[in-house]
Amino acid sequence: MFLDPTRAARLLLIGLVAFGLPACDDSKEPATPEPPTAEPEPEPPVEPQGIIPSSKARVKFKGGQRYARDLAAALELPRDGLCTELGLYDCVDDVHLIALGGVEPYEIGIDEPLPVPPVSAAMAIDRVALSACTHRVDADFADPATAAIFGPLAGATDPATREGVAADLIARILRRDATPDEIAALSGFWEAAEAESDQPARAFGQLTCFAVATMLEALFY
């Protein structure tokens, strides 16, 4: 028994639809494939400009020992002569040891650093920095020919000389190049030194040194 051709075609079409298969349509031409999209060219790398922010927002206080070593090296001073109280007791190793993150387990029973720096820590840092800067200025002005930093101020106080001293302090203490804004700010101390001191060159050296030595960048790493 043979099926009618028309009925056979209808049944085939119903089967294709039921099973989700597309029916052939000879009237449609095959789709032309789209050309591949060209990948964008990579952008050239951007050269870093100025100070590059840290990718990790985590810094640590140097502590008294590390800070004193770094400052003594930057100012070319002996570590044991950096700062003393009453001319006898080392500021970092003895007097301000605990305030600056040290420990003393044998005599006062502190075998772990304080969890939070006390208020006196900032004053202790100021004391160490001012003493160290004063020693460097005194030595340089006493013998400008062999001065490490402030010798130029003993012979000239023009803007170029002051800016050179400011840039040298940034390079020594912070170990990087100074920015124009930093040089301008440090050079601006000259007006205050000239107005308040009868030895403005010496006062300018102390002010600029102290300002750089107490910057957050000098205290943390």
Side-chain angles (χ1 to χ4, degrees), residues 22 30-31 38-39 47 54 61 66 71 77 80 99 112 135 183 216:
E39 296 183 359
E47 294 294 331
S54 173
F61 175 52
R66 186 191 298 268
L71 189 58
L77 292 170
D80 57 358
E112 292 185 3
H135 285 322
I183 292 178
L216 291 179

Side-chain angles (χ1 to χ4, degrees), residues 1 49 54 95 106 123 161 166 188 198 202-203:
M1 180 179 180
Q49 300 292 330
S54 173
V95 182
Y106 302 108
M123 294 182 285
T161 300
D198 57 352
R202 184 186 293 268

Side-chain angles (χ1 to χ4, degrees), residues 92-105 108 110 112-114 117-118 120-121:
V92 175
D93 292 340
D94 300 320
V95 182
H96 307 294
L97 175 63
I98 305 304
L100 294 178
V103 297
E104 174 41 69
I108 58 178
I110 296 180
E112 292 185 3
L114 298 178
S120 59

Side-chain angles (χ1 to χ4, degrees), residues 25 47 55 62 75 90 133 146 184 194 199:
D25 187 355
E47 294 294 331
S55 59
K62 286 183 176 180
L75 300 183
D90 187 272
C133 290
T146 60
E194 196 172 31
Q199 294 181 311

Side-chain angles (χ1 to χ4, degrees), residues 113-126:
L114 298 178
V116 178
V119 175
S120 59
M123 294 182 285
I125 286 291
D126 287 353

Side-chain angles (χ1 to χ4, degrees), residues 2-221:
F2 298 97
L3 292 175
D4 180 68
T6 302
R7 185 180 179 189
R10 186 180 299 127
L11 291 174
L12 178 61
L13 180 60
I14 293 173
L16 291 174
V17 172
F19 288 96
L21 299 177
C24 295
D25 187 355
D26 295 336
S27 64
K28 295 183 179 180
E29 297 181 356
T32 304
E34 296 182 358
T37 304
E39 296 183 359
E41 296 183 359
E43 296 183 0
V46 179
E47 294 294 331
Q49 300 292 330
I51 301 174
I52 303 174
S54 173
S55 59
K56 298 180 180 179
R58 180 176 179 270
V59 293
K60 294 179 63 177
F61 175 52
K62 286 183 176 180
Q65 301 288 348
R66 186 191 298 268
Y67 176 72
R69 288 195 302 269
D70 287 353
L71 189 58
L75 300 183
E76 298 184 27
L77 292 170
R79 167 62 188 86
D80 57 358
L82 198 68
C83 174
T84 57
E85 300 290 3
L86 304 177
L88 298 173
Y89 308 103
D90 187 272
C91 295
V92 175
D93 292 340
D94 300 320
V95 182
H96 307 294
L97 175 63
I98 305 304
L100 294 178
V103 297
E104 174 41 69
Y106 302 108
E107 294 186 6
I108 58 178
I110 296 180
D111 54 7
E112 292 185 3
L114 298 178
V116 178
V119 175
S120 59
M123 294 182 285
I125 286 291
D126 287 353
R127 173 75 179 96
V128 174
L130 184 59
S131 174
C133 290
T134 300
H135 285 322
R136 184 70 270 165
V137 168
D138 289 345
D140 285 0
F141 273 76
D143 189 1
T146 60
I149 302 174
F150 302 106
L153 291 175
T157 56
D158 57 281
T161 300
R162 301 196 298 265
E163 290 173 0
V165 169
D168 189 24
L169 285 168
I170 292 283
R172 285 171 170 272
I173 298 175
L174 304 185
R175 300 180 183 180
R176 62 168 175 79
D177 294 336
T179 65
D181 289 342
E182 288 170 336
I183 292 178
L186 293 173
S187 299
F189 286 143
W190 177 256
E191 296 179 1
E194 196 172 31
E196 300 293 336
S197 175
D198 57 352
Q199 294 181 311
R202 184 186 293 268
F204 174 79
Q206 289 175 314
L207 282 173
T208 52
C209 178
F210 177 79
V212 178
T214 54
M215 290 175 63
L216 291 179
E217 193 174 343
L219 305 177
F220 292 82
Y221 71 100

